[in-house]
Amino acid sequence: MSTAGEVPAFFKSIGSDSPARPRQKFCGMFCPVEGSADSKTLDFDALQAGKERSDGRVIDRQTDISQPRKVEIRESTGKEYLQNLDDKKSDRLLIKGGKIVNDDQSFCADIYMEDGVIKQIGENLIVPGGVKTIDAHGRMLMPGGIDVHTRFQMPDRGMVSADDFYQGTKAALAGGTTMIIDHVLPEPGVSLLSAFEQWREWADSKSCCDYSLHVDITEWHKGIQEDMETLVKDHGVNSFLVYLAYKDVFQLSDSQVYEVFSVIRDLGAIAQVHAENGDIVAEEQQKILEQGITGPEGHVLSRPEEVEAEAVNRSVTVANQTNCPLYVTKVMSKSAADVIAQARKKGTVVYGEPITASLGTDGSHYWSKNWAKAAAYVTSPPLSPDPTTPDYLNSLLSCGDLQVTGSAHCPFNTAQRAVGKDDFSLIPEGVNGTEERMSIIWDKCVVTGKMDENQFVSVTSTNAAKIFNMYPRKGRIAVGSDADLVLWDPDVTKIISAKSHNSTVEYNIFEGTEVRGGPLVVISQGKIVLEEGNLHTIEGSGRFVARKPFPDYVYKRIKARSRLAELRGVPRGLYDGPVCEVSVTPKTMTPASSAKNSPAKQPNQPVRNLHQSGFSLSGAQMDDNIPRRNTQRTLAPPGGRANITSLG
Amino acid sequence: MSYQGKKNIPKITSERLLVKGGRIVNDDQSFHADIYMEDGVIKQIGDNLIVPGGVKTVEANGKMVIPGGIDIHTHFQMPYRGTTTVDDFAQGSKAALAGGTTMIVDHVIPDPGCSLMEAYDQWRQWADEKSCCDYSLHVDITHWNDSVKQEVESLIKEKGVNSFQVYMAYKDYYQMSNSELYDIFSFLAERGGIAEVHAENGEIIAEEQARMLQMGITGPEGHVLSRPEELEAEAVFRAITIASQTNCPLYVTRVMSKSAADIISQARKRGNVVFGEPITASLGTDGTHYWSKNWAKAASFVTSPPLSPDPTTPDYLNTMLSSGDLSVTGSAHCTFSVAQKAIGKDDFTQIPEGVNGVEERMSLIWDKAVTTGKMDENMFVAVTSTNAAKILNLYPRKGRIAVGSDADLVIWDTDSIRTITAKTHNSAAEYNIFEGMELRGAPQAVICQGKIVVEDGTLHVVSGVGRFIPCSAFPDFAYKRIKARKQLAVLRAVPRGMYDGPVSEFSMSRGGTPSASARTSPTKQPSRNLHHSGFSLAGPTIPDDIPIRPAGRRIVVPPGGRSNITSLS
């Protein structure tokens, strides 16, 4: 290399070493140039490396990809340590030389945090002496991930999903997620409040990271409505999930959904929906069991993606009618995502949540010969057997048609799954994904060039915080925000495996997937919980994050619309023409209310009913079964007649 | 065959008729030829026909001769809460003939709880007595149970009915749940029937109606406000989903809005077997009239799904009809007098629903679609007649001019212009929703059952001559594809070894619900349940409210099972 000496080491390292790097087989033609992110800002690491390897040898460089990148964490020592002895509890932390990545921009600055809150951002910060310091070396520092959908410790027919709040949040933190929102699932018949308290108790005692709770509406009556009001006003819940599936258990009818949505809109909350047509699913399940299909493939066969798309379409319609913001959980198929994208184009306030599983894998595994493996993928709506689905959903996520990502982490171990070994409809549903979420999205979307780092932050964190009204406390790196941060290493590669994951289940649905990008350091509540692959989680340290109603991100539009949506009647003169007689009761013996009467409360009859004085109120007098011949045609009187044909 | 049965025309009047010099227009081609018909059947087509002497001859003078229209959707003489629509079968079929329609297909609406068969007999009786043209019947399924199932079966097998309508609207009255729809569609798919659907989400309508009335909106505008077109589109979407799951051909009656038509067109593009039927009203006018200051006028437009207030809807639907995305046209003719409509003068939900359109249908489509260049004369024949005949399995007896087909013909005058008005129409209603509309194209002569019934504007109809035309099951037009799909749709289970690992304990009943257990389908348990022998069937052994700590309870899979899990595939 004769030119080696002529080019400054810094520039040389930009281009020269990239082709020599081993190309990961998964990143294809969109593989970004190795280290390209580093060279955008000052990367001391790269500079140093360049200096050391002035002869252009790249072998050294290759090895340090596989090794975990070192982070320099400097503890306070000596005198400084003594100085801070008194306030040992207050955690002070300084991150130097990081590239802060928010959803809107990236910039280089230092961050100083204290007591779990970001206190200062900028260069040359004035901080107390002896503060613990992390040197980020120009790596990306982003808001910690928010997993909007988890079901830790979820009871299901006497069993409980394998990961409790401790295991689950530990896995979340290991993956770079610093906040989870779990679903409270009250059994029908149990009050929302007591179920909520129960979940709070579980989570408070075990959660290692901040959490919040969605509450599922599994039945509908007056008491539920009151509970919802209390939850919104006093308990910091602003999202409720309704089920269009699970017939005879959780499923609500369209009218009930309409009423729930109306209540939710009035309370200023978000309506979430599990969208699958439960009636059709029940019929299909029966049909498929009758055909002798009892294995996990029956699960996906009985829940075709059309059924998901139909329910999404229906809930969008109901949400539109009630002017209620809608949030579709677990978008698993192309067609469901398309329905959401179309609805957004028509202006509906609707958000779609693909999950780690639907972004990272497909439903072909339901046909695995290995029952335990096939069963591990069982979740509802099921993963689509169409192998192009993950790529499609990643594209929609990147272009903004889908906005947030969750994991719907609700794994059961194989023995629990085996409850349904002879009947797929009994297999407990749920897959893992809270740990893998951030890395999968980085690998599938950012590495492939579908989205940039800022969009990555929005779909993994910021949008969730905005929709659920936690922004800017969560989902942003800013002064005053919570000190939930992730130091992200875009180059680290990892092979996901049940052997090394933090969940307790024996199976990982992403087994063997090689992902690029992962957290190097995770800071939750201002404390380092992950560094160099070591987790320092504290059971029970997670706080409940209360969420206020009427999130701006969602309700600004809703409010504007409700002002526009006022309807007015047409002022008309009284109709004074002839009125045909009708039988007071509908002609049949049906116990149901009359034909077009709405079942809702009859409006009090207007006083004008005096005009009907010609009616016999004693009931039908002529034989109702004999149809009137048209010779009985009632001619409108001259006055009325003129009225009829003249104006309009 | 029953159509030759009871109302047989006396043989003496055996009509022989020659139509000379016309241009025959079928759905596939147009050509010049003479037509000779005898006894209501076309006997010869061609030039220089050899016909018996003294035959009555109609000179077409180069005008188009098209198959008589088939109005696939009428509600003549429909009982409604003790009153009946003003057009009975005589009046209605007379109006149909006057407009160039030589066959109507009426809907039998049994009251919920009543026998389908009795209702069918009742309608047959009414129609046989009075109808002036051939007719056929759809039967509406307004409730669903095993006896209805049997009746449907015998209607298909013995009574010549192959199309059944279900309602997704009219909550607590006609409305069917999704499960019932699934059942009905699966049943019809097996028996070769066509599932027709009145597509509107009845549950949401009921809620919206209550809301409108609470807000004090009681006039006809409340009707359209409480039934926004989204609800129609939603129900169409749902019906298509269920039909596609059950592999049943679907027919959407009364496509009234752009969004519903779009859903149908998208579904057809995805390959679903679905047909859409716009009606005269949706093709010819829009829903702005609901806001008319004249209550009687506004009320006369009340029908369900309502006319869309979007004034560009008719044009859009005509385009979809021309492009083949919508397949057939009906009129949904169901007229009430103003006095009858006035039942709902203080509450729009009580207004009897239905509009006119049987007489105007052909002219209106000609005017809106053919004169504007959207479709040609052959397509016109397809959407007004041929497609309907194909769907109902009456083709080529109806819907085509061919030797052996019924002698139902229309000599169409493309240049005649007339103005629609209630003063001159043949319906008994005082109001015509197309009032004042000028339409180009009208029948010059109508030949029904080989007899001239309309000639230069004069009607010569005979009440009661109409025959019932039975429709047989499995119409090729719909079922060829369905059958092919059925063969493909066989599902197979994955052959696996028995799972022999540990099985967790669980309680069959979920929490405190009295309902069925969580995800148990209502089927019988498979017999292999012997493997469950380790279970305690006496109910949950663990108190449900105490959470089990999974971390501690984690069941370690034995070595054999373990390797099974992580090793293969």
Side-chain angles (χ1 to χ4, degrees):
Chain A
M1 293 288 241
S2 59
T3 56
E6 297 158 27
V7 183
F10 174 64
F11 290 114
K12 198 180 64 178
S13 71
I14 291 173
S16 64
D17 60 348
S18 49
R21 300 276 178 91
R23 284 216 165 200
Q24 261 68 27
K25 63 177 188 304
F26 52 84
C27 48
M29 64 181 296
F30 291 109
C31 182
V33 176
E34 180 64 37
S36 59
D38 298 345
S39 54
K40 280 189 187 127
T41 58
L42 229 49
D43 186 344
F44 300 102
D45 228 359
L47 271 177
Q48 269 180 343
K51 273 175 198 153
E52 283 163 17
R53 293 182 283 105
S54 53
D55 57 349
R57 273 192 311 126
V58 289
I59 295 131
D60 284 350
R61 201 49 202 253
Q62 277 180 9
T63 51
D64 73 30
I65 299 175
S66 51
Q67 283 167 3
R69 296 266 182 110
K70 285 263 180 170
V71 216
E72 207 176 298
I73 300 174
R74 198 155 43 80
E75 299 279 347
S76 48
T77 48
K79 216 160 59 176
E80 291 167 339
Y81 177 80
L82 292 171
Q83 184 189 331
N84 294 328
L85 208 55
D86 47 336
D87 54 6
K88 187 77 180 83
K89 291 205 95 177
S90 96
D91 263 88
R92 294 170 175 185
L93 195 59
L94 177 69
I95 303 178
K96 278 182 86 88
K99 181 166 74 153
I100 297 176
V101 180
N102 274 326
D103 68 321
D104 52 347
Q105 58 170 348
S106 312
F107 57 95
C108 293
D110 300 344
I111 302 177
Y112 172 67
M113 56 204 100
E114 202 178 299
D115 297 327
V117 175
I118 298 173
K119 293 288 185 191
Q120 294 178 55
I121 295 179
E123 285 168 60
N124 309 320
L125 300 177
I126 299 158
V127 296
V131 132
K132 190 191 261 189
T133 307
I134 299 177
D135 210 331
H137 292 304
R139 289 201 196 84
M140 281 183 266
L141 196 56
M142 45 179 76
I146 300 176
D147 188 342
V148 278
H149 188 159
T150 65
R151 287 174 185 280
F152 297 148
Q153 213 166 331
M154 188 188 81
D156 180 8
R157 290 166 290 165
M159 302 179 293
V160 177
S161 66
D163 287 330
D164 64 3
F165 275 97
Y166 174 65
Q167 286 294 342
T169 51
K170 197 174 125 188
L173 287 169
T177 295
T178 54
M179 174 172 184
I180 57 122
I181 312 184
D182 206 77
H183 276 269
V184 175
L185 179 70
E187 293 288 339
V190 176
S191 92
L192 298 188
L193 277 178
S194 54
F196 174 79
E197 296 297 346
Q198 177 67 75
W199 255 260
R200 279 294 306 272
E201 196 185 311
W202 288 338
D204 280 338
S205 61
K206 292 188 174 172
S207 180
C208 314
C209 67
D210 286 353
Y211 72 97
S212 193
L213 295 171
H214 307 292
V215 176
D216 298 358
I217 311 282
T218 50
E219 61 182 337
W220 183 239
H221 51 72
K222 196 73 190 152
I224 299 281
Q225 186 178 339
E226 285 159 11
D227 277 1
M228 284 167 72
E229 274 179 49
T230 321
L231 283 170
V232 169
K233 290 189 177 130
D234 308 331
H235 292 94
V237 173
N238 71 5
S239 47
F240 298 92
L241 175 80
V242 294
Y243 291 88
L244 298 178
Y246 305 116
K247 194 181 176 189
D248 297 333
V249 188
F250 300 142
Q251 189 176 325
L252 298 187
S253 73
D254 290 356
S255 314
Q256 288 170 326
V257 172
Y258 183 99
E259 280 166 32
V260 173
F261 282 12
S262 307
V263 170
I264 287 176
R265 191 255 343 266
D266 292 341
L267 292 172
I270 316 284
Q272 299 186 302
V273 63
H274 176 116
E276 276 184 300
N277 189 317
D279 291 333
I280 304 181
V281 169
E283 299 277 346
E284 291 280 331
Q285 282 181 338
Q286 187 177 346
K287 191 174 91 183
I288 282 165
L289 286 171
E290 270 165 13
Q291 290 178 7
I293 300 177
T294 57
E297 69 276 15
H299 179 74
V300 64
L301 292 174
S302 64
R303 301 177 110 98
E305 68 175 72
E306 273 187 296
V307 168
E308 185 191 352
E310 188 283 314
V312 172
N313 185 55
R314 186 149 40 100
S315 46
V316 165
T317 308
V318 180
N320 255 346
Q321 287 310 308
T322 50
N323 194 22
C324 175
L326 182 71
Y327 178 103
V328 181
T329 61
K330 296 204 243 193
V331 175
M332 305 299 277
S333 66
K334 286 180 176 185
S335 33
D338 281 340
V339 172
I340 293 172
Q342 278 167 24
R344 289 177 65 86
K345 286 192 184 77
K346 284 189 219 137
T348 310
V349 183
V350 56
Y351 304 98
E353 167 207 281
I355 63 170
T356 321
S358 59
L359 294 170
T361 182
D362 61 60
S364 52
H365 305 282
Y366 291 117
W367 280 267
S368 164
K369 294 266 188 196
N370 180 344
W371 189 91
K373 179 177 177 185
Y377 288 85
V378 170
T379 186
S380 286
L383 287 157
S384 167
D386 177 351
T388 61
T389 304
D391 192 55
Y392 190 82
L393 293 181
N394 279 305
S395 298
L396 256 59
L397 185 65
S398 306
C399 76
D401 281 342
L402 301 172
Q403 298 73 33
V404 264
T405 52
S407 66
H409 188 91
C410 181
F412 288 89
N413 60 42
T414 303
Q416 289 173 321
R417 302 266 191 198
V419 157
K421 68 193 169 62
D422 301 315
D423 177 353
F424 64 84
S425 65
L426 297 177
I427 300 174
E429 296 171 355
V431 290
N432 64 293
T434 193
E435 184 172 355
E436 298 81 5
R437 188 177 65 104
M438 305 273 283
S439 290
I440 292 252
I441 297 168
W442 184 270
D443 183 72
K444 303 274 177 188
C445 294
V446 187
V447 172
T448 58
K450 285 182 199 283
M451 59 169 74
D452 59 26
E453 63 207 30
N454 304 93
Q455 272 176 297
F456 175 75
V457 168
S458 29
V459 300
T460 53
S461 176
T462 312
N463 287 350
K466 284 180 177 170
I467 292 173
F468 296 110
N469 218 3
M470 302 177 293
Y471 187 82
R473 180 180 167 189
K474 301 280 183 190
R476 186 167 187 87
I477 299 181
V479 173
S481 298
D482 278 1
D484 289 351
L485 306 174
V486 175
L487 189 60
W488 191 260
D489 187 343
D491 297 324
V492 72
T493 59
K494 183 185 168 189
I495 294 172
I496 297 174
S497 167
K499 287 178 195 121
S500 56
H501 72 189
N502 285 285
S503 164
T504 57
V505 290
E506 308 93 328
Y507 225 90
N508 190 311
I509 59 165
F510 307 105
E511 188 73 38
T513 306
E514 199 178 348
V515 287
R516 174 184 287 223
L520 207 55
V521 175
V522 177
I523 295 158
S524 170
Q525 300 180 14
K527 293 187 200 59
I528 299 170
V529 289
L530 174 86
E531 37 138 352
E532 289 179 46
N534 300 319
L535 274 168
H536 314 286
T537 54
I538 305 162
E539 192 166 347
S541 62
R543 301 164 299 181
F544 174 73
V545 177
R547 296 175 287 134
K548 290 202 178 69
F550 294 107
D552 266 358
Y553 188 64
V554 176
Y555 267 87
K556 269 186 200 155
R557 286 186 286 166
I558 294 286
K559 281 175 188 164
R561 280 161 203 217
S562 55
R563 281 196 293 271
L564 273 185
E566 247 173 62
L567 299 174
R568 274 184 206 90
V570 176
R572 289 190 184 91
L574 287 189
Y575 173 84
D576 52 1
V579 178
C580 188
E581 281 180 43
V582 279
S583 48
V584 173
T585 49
K587 47 201 177 323
T588 50
M589 305 307 134
T590 38
S593 61
S594 77
K596 280 134 205 160
N597 276 359
S598 77
K601 46 227 160 268
Q602 277 291 327
N604 30 359
Q605 288 290 324
V607 268
R608 302 189 219 166
N609 252 353
L610 293 171
H611 291 287
Q612 286 177 336
S613 55
F615 281 14
S616 133
L617 290 170
S618 57
Q621 286 179 333
M622 50 177 174
D623 193 341
D624 293 339
N625 295 325
I626 297 175
R628 286 220 192 161
R629 325 279 305 256
N630 72 325
T631 48
Q632 280 181 331
R633 174 175 167 188
T634 321
L635 280 174
R641 182 79 186 186
N643 186 30
I644 287 160
T645 42
S646 57
L647 56 121
Chain B
M1 296 297 281
S2 57
Y3 53 85
Q4 287 167 340
K6 34 156 288 315
K7 283 287 163 194
N8 224 342
I9 316 115
K11 278 283 180 230
I12 337 141
T13 63
S14 139
E15 297 259 343
R16 294 166 173 186
L17 194 62
L18 181 68
V19 178
K20 270 183 89 82
R23 190 159 61 96
I24 298 176
V25 179
N26 275 326
D27 69 322
D28 53 346
Q29 58 171 349
S30 313
F31 55 95
H32 287 275
D34 301 342
I35 306 169
Y36 171 68
M37 53 205 103
E38 207 179 296
D39 296 328
V41 175
I42 297 172
K43 293 287 184 189
Q44 295 179 54
I45 294 177
D47 294 323
N48 308 319
L49 300 177
I50 301 159
V51 296
V55 137
K56 189 171 183 186
T57 305
V58 180
E59 274 295 340
N61 290 327
K63 289 213 165 65
M64 289 167 40
V65 182
I66 58 175
I70 299 176
D71 188 338
I72 197 162
H73 188 162
T74 65
H75 290 278
F76 296 152
Q77 215 167 332
M78 187 187 82
Y80 174 75
R81 298 170 72 193
T83 84
T84 307
T85 55
V86 290
D87 288 325
D88 64 2
F89 276 97
Q91 197 76 34
S93 56
K94 191 173 132 189
L97 287 168
T101 296
T102 56
M103 177 176 181
I104 56 124
V105 191
D106 206 76
H107 275 269
V108 175
I109 308 185
D111 281 316
C114 295
S115 148
L116 265 54
M117 201 56 93
E118 280 169 26
Y120 167 84
D121 290 338
Q122 177 68 76
W123 254 260
R124 280 293 306 272
Q125 192 195 327
W126 287 337
D128 282 341
E129 247 170 49
K130 295 189 176 169
S131 181
C132 311
C133 66
D134 288 351
Y135 71 96
S136 193
L137 295 172
H138 307 288
V139 175
D140 295 1
I141 298 175
T142 50
H143 61 296
W144 185 244
N145 54 36
D146 281 344
S147 78
V148 174
K149 210 178 210 178
Q150 278 164 11
E151 287 186 321
V152 168
E153 174 134 34
S154 50
L155 282 168
I156 293 176
K157 283 198 174 141
E158 297 151 22
K159 301 290 184 179
V161 175
N162 75 358
S163 46
F164 296 86
Q165 174 167 305
V166 291
Y167 291 86
M168 298 170 85
Y170 305 117
K171 191 182 175 189
D172 297 332
Y173 200 58
Y174 295 148
Q175 187 177 324
M176 294 282 151
S177 73
N178 292 338
S179 313
E180 285 168 329
L181 291 177
Y182 186 98
D183 256 11
I184 295 170
F185 285 12
S186 330
F187 185 77
L188 289 176
E190 267 171 46
R191 301 302 193 281
I194 306 277
E196 299 187 303
V197 64
H198 175 116
E200 277 183 297
N201 188 317
E203 304 217 356
I204 304 178
I205 289 172
E207 300 278 345
E208 291 281 328
Q209 283 180 338
R211 191 165 71 96
M212 293 300 150
L213 290 172
Q214 264 173 353
M215 288 165 66
I217 299 177
T218 58
E221 68 277 13
H223 179 73
V224 64
L225 291 174
S226 63
R227 301 177 109 100
E229 69 175 72
E230 272 190 294
L231 303 190
E232 186 190 350
E234 187 281 316
V236 171
F237 195 105
R238 186 149 40 101
I240 288 170
T241 307
I242 299 176
S244 133
Q245 285 312 307
T246 52
N247 197 18
C248 176
L250 183 71
Y251 178 102
V252 181
T253 61
R254 293 200 255 204
V255 176
M256 305 299 278
S257 66
K258 286 181 176 183
S259 33
D262 280 340
I263 302 264
I264 292 172
S265 136
Q266 281 166 21
R268 288 173 68 88
K269 288 194 181 73
R270 284 196 303 263
N272 291 346
V273 182
V274 54
F275 307 103
E277 168 209 280
I279 64 170
T280 322
S282 58
L283 294 168
T285 184
D286 60 60
T288 52
H289 305 282
Y290 291 117
W291 281 267
S292 165
K293 293 267 188 192
N294 180 344
W295 188 91
K297 180 179 177 186
S300 69
F301 286 84
V302 169
T303 186
S304 286
L307 287 157
S308 167
D310 177 351
T312 61
T313 304
D315 192 56
Y316 191 81
L317 293 181
N318 277 298
T319 306
M320 300 281 270
L321 186 64
S322 310
S323 66
D325 283 333
L326 301 172
S327 318
V328 274
T329 53
S331 67
H333 189 90
C334 177
T335 44
F336 289 95
S337 67
V338 171
Q340 287 172 320
K341 291 269 186 186
I343 292 167
K345 70 192 171 65
D346 300 316
D347 176 355
F348 66 86
T349 64
Q350 305 293 321
I351 301 174
E353 295 170 357
V355 291
N356 64 295
V358 72
E359 185 173 354
E360 297 81 6
R361 188 177 63 105
M362 304 274 282
S363 293
L364 194 125
I365 295 168
W366 185 270
D367 183 75
K368 300 278 177 190
V370 186
T371 59
T372 56
K374 287 183 199 284
M375 60 168 75
D376 60 19
E377 61 205 30
N378 304 94
M379 191 66 182
F380 174 73
V381 169
V383 299
T384 55
S385 176
T386 311
N387 287 351
K390 285 180 176 170
I391 290 172
L392 293 170
N393 220 357
L394 300 173
Y395 188 81
R397 183 180 171 189
K398 299 282 183 191
R400 187 169 185 86
I401 300 179
V403 174
S405 297
D406 278 0
D408 290 349
L409 307 175
V410 174
I411 299 176
W412 191 258
D413 183 355
T414 54
D415 300 322
S416 123
I417 295 175
R418 70 192 165 125
T419 306
I420 306 287
T421 167
K423 287 177 195 127
T424 58
H425 72 189
N426 286 284
S427 160
E430 302 100 323
Y431 220 90
N432 190 311
I433 57 165
F434 308 104
E435 189 74 37
M437 203 175 276
E438 211 177 70
L439 297 182
R440 179 181 291 245
Q444 187 183 37
V446 179
I447 297 159
C448 182
Q449 300 182 359
K451 289 192 262 308
I452 299 173
V453 289
V454 180
E455 205 174 4
D456 296 327
T458 341
L459 277 162
H460 316 284
V461 298
V462 185
S463 189
V465 299
R467 302 163 298 181
F468 173 72
I469 312 287
C471 306
S472 50
F474 294 108
D476 270 355
F477 192 58
Y479 268 89
K480 269 187 198 153
R481 285 184 285 164
I482 295 285
K483 282 175 189 163
R485 283 161 202 217
K486 205 164 272 174
Q487 278 152 14
L488 275 185
V490 179
L491 300 175
R492 276 187 202 85
V494 176
R496 289 189 183 92
M498 281 284 170
Y499 173 85
D500 51 4
V503 178
S504 184
E505 279 179 45
F506 75 114
S507 59
M508 283 299 285
S509 66
R510 214 171 217 283
T513 32
S515 57
S517 80
R519 279 145 205 149
T520 331
S521 70
T523 45
K524 46 207 165 291
Q525 290 288 328
S527 51
R528 298 191 220 165
N529 252 352
L530 294 171
H531 292 285
H532 284 306
S533 54
F535 284 14
S536 134
L537 290 171
T541 45
I542 313 140
D544 282 346
D545 42 354
I546 297 172
I548 302 153
R549 307 189 54 166
R553 258 176 51 97
R554 178 170 168 190
I555 299 156
V556 180
V557 183
R562 184 78 187 184
S563 68
N564 186 33
I565 287 160
T566 41
S567 60
L568 55 119
S569 65

